[in-house]
């Protein structure tokens, strides 16, 4: 069963992180994303949450080359998401 949490206090964030099955990072591959390093990835991995993240955003490629903490996707297409989800659960 999926639940969507629209917001919570800072003090309750950890409760929701431990309830997750997977993390999701959504950034487009663009000029402004070249220097981006999403802090959310560190939060996910610190709590053991495997994560879906895009290719070519900041230093994410380097992190995912050296870790098995999730799957990267190339674009926002339904086909790419399907591939990523299948790969994610094969490695899980």
């Amino acid at each position: 069963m999926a639940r969507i949490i629209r917001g919570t206090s800072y003090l309750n964030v950890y409760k929701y992180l431990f309830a997750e099955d997977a993390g999701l990072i959504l950034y487009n591959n663009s000029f402004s994303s070249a220097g981006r390093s999403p802090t959310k990835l560190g939060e996910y991995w610190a709590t053991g949450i495997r994560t879906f993240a895009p290719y070519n955003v900041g230093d994410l490629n380097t992190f995912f080359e050296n870790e098995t903490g999730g799957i990267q996707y190339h674009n926002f297409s339904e086909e790419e998401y399907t591939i990523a989800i299948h790969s994610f659960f094969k490695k899980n």
Side-chain angles (χ1 to χ4, degrees), residues 75-85:
N75 57 52
F76 295 102
S77 71
E78 184 177 340
E79 179 183 2
E80 186 65 22
Y81 282 141
T82 301
I83 291 168
I85 290 167

